[in-house]
Amino acid sequence: MQRFAIVTGSSSGLGLEVAKFLLSNGYTVFGGSRSGTDIENENFYDVELDISSEESVEEFYETVREYTDKIHLVVNNAGICEMVSVADMTAESFEEHLAINTLGPFLLFKNLESFLVKEQTHIISVLSTAAHYGYPNVSAYNASKFGQLGFMESLKKEWKDHKVRFTNLFPGAIDTPLWNKMGAKFSREKMLKVQDFMSVFTYIVHAPTTIQFPEITFLHREGYLE
Ligand SMILES: NC(=O)c1ccc[n+]([C@@H]2O[C@H](COP(=O)([O-])OP(=O)(O)OC[C@H]3O[C@@H](n4cnc5c(N)ncnc54)[C@H](OP(=O)(O)O)[C@@H]3O)[C@@H](O)[C@H]2O)c1
């Protein structure tokens, strides 16, 4: 059986690794991002996506619909984070966090429902420990991830009859390009590696479909980064 997956934020970091992993495990992957990837694989569709734009998300799904009406795996991963104090954060940046990290998943799932496969579709959301733990200087990120978690918890109950699986991941800091843009001075040694994230992700994807993982929190053994 051909299995179809959507990965948002496939151009960098975790999303890029997830897309490559799924391709090597036989999935046909629709990767969504603004900048695209250099993945060359006949089963990879590099689709332009601005997750914060309703029009862009609808166009993304129009492309998906040309190939399939069934999605077996969704990796809700696209996200941004700016590290700045509340006093120095602009309202524009705060709104952008909400638009990408909170409104984005709403648009993604609003348009997904007709592609769900009963008892098969698996929805994996890459939230963050910041979805239920407050860190200083990432107020917009915290607010947007707490918001995303609230949305996912509501959706889970609304879609109960579809019998799809929801896995919410709450990783701590991971050494990805996200941190290059943040300019934070934290030691990369105290962050998880992308391979650590992938070992958890691999376990979940390969687990029997009768198992669900409502919440998985994992972080570097050094603890929370702050
Ligand atoms: N790294 C960490 O420490 C960490 C820890 C916990 C959770 N997370 C979460 O993991 C997810 C992936 O982060 P990462 O560390 O892999 O960061 P990353 O390397 O910066 O990748 C972020 C991805 O999100 C995409 N993206 C951002 N804005 C988008 C938009 N408007 N529309 C579509 N795609 C968009 C980016 O693509 P384009 O810019 O090309 O659009 C990129 O592919 C995020 O949700 C993040 O919150 C990260």
Side-chain angles (χ1 to χ4, degrees), residues 84-154:
V84 62
S85 68
V86 171
D88 290 335
M89 165 152 289
T90 62
E92 189 185 22
S93 174
F94 200 97
E95 282 174 356
E96 191 185 12
H97 281 76
L98 296 180
I100 294 175
N101 297 353
T102 314
L103 180 72
F106 157 72
L107 295 172
L108 178 73
F109 292 116
K110 178 180 165 64
N111 288 278
L112 176 73
E113 192 163 6
S114 62
F115 292 88
L116 295 176
V117 188
K118 197 165 187 168
E119 294 177 351
Q120 285 187 45
T121 303
H122 188 180
I123 293 167
I124 301 178
S125 292
V126 186
L127 288 137
S128 165
T129 49
H132 53 206
Y133 183 90
Y135 292 96
N137 300 314
V138 287
S139 58
Y141 184 68
N142 261 138
S144 64
K145 289 285 183 175
F146 267 68
Q148 185 182 153
L149 175 58
F151 170 75
M152 296 308 302
E153 292 303 300
S154 174

Side-chain angles (χ1 to χ4, degrees), residues 14-201:
L14 306 180
L16 182 59
E17 283 306 305
V18 163
K20 289 178 185 168
F21 165 81
L22 293 175
L23 288 165
S24 66
N25 279 270
Y27 281 86
T28 296
V29 177
F30 299 96
S33 67
R34 295 166 300 182
S35 38
T37 82
D38 55 6
I39 295 176
E40 284 187 19
N41 185 307
E42 59 180 6
N43 294 322
F44 183 70
Y45 297 91
D46 205 347
V47 188
E48 194 176 333
L49 172 70
D50 177 356
I51 195 86
S52 66
S53 153
E54 186 159 26
E55 192 185 356
S56 175
V57 175
E58 285 171 2
E59 281 171 12
F60 175 86
Y61 277 104
E62 276 168 29
T63 303
V64 173
R65 183 77 72 190
E66 287 171 22
Y67 301 95
T68 183
D69 58 2
K70 292 182 179 60
I71 293 293
H72 303 91
L73 176 63
V74 178
V75 185
N76 164 31
N77 165 77
I80 58 160
C81 179
E82 185 187 3
M83 186 159 253
V84 62
S85 68
V86 171
D88 290 335
M89 165 152 289
T90 62
E92 189 185 22
S93 174
F94 200 97
E95 282 174 356
E96 191 185 12
H97 281 76
L98 296 180
I100 294 175
N101 297 353
T102 314
L103 180 72
F106 157 72
L107 295 172
L108 178 73
F109 292 116
K110 178 180 165 64
N111 288 278
L112 176 73
E113 192 163 6
S114 62
F115 292 88
L116 295 176
V117 188
K118 197 165 187 168
E119 294 177 351
Q120 285 187 45
T121 303
H122 188 180
I123 293 167
I124 301 178
S125 292
V126 186
L127 288 137
S128 165
T129 49
H132 53 206
Y133 183 90
Y135 292 96
N137 300 314
V138 287
S139 58
Y141 184 68
N142 261 138
S144 64
K145 289 285 183 175
F146 267 68
Q148 185 182 153
L149 175 58
F151 170 75
M152 296 308 302
E153 292 303 300
S154 174
L155 183 70
K156 219 186 259 189
K157 294 193 174 152
E158 199 171 311
W159 282 4
K160 195 163 176 279
D161 291 344
H162 287 307
K163 296 187 186 297
V164 297
R165 288 187 296 157
F166 284 87
T167 297
N168 287 344
L169 298 180
F170 301 84
I174 309 165
D175 186 1
T176 71
L178 186 85
W179 290 93
N180 305 345
K181 301 165 214 157
M182 282 202 275
K185 301 277 183 288
F186 293 114
S187 162
R188 304 281 174 131
E189 297 307 310
K190 292 184 178 174
M191 295 182 187
L192 295 170
K193 302 289 171 222
V194 173
Q195 302 91 288
D196 300 327
F197 174 88
M198 290 309 300
S199 67
V200 175
F201 186 88

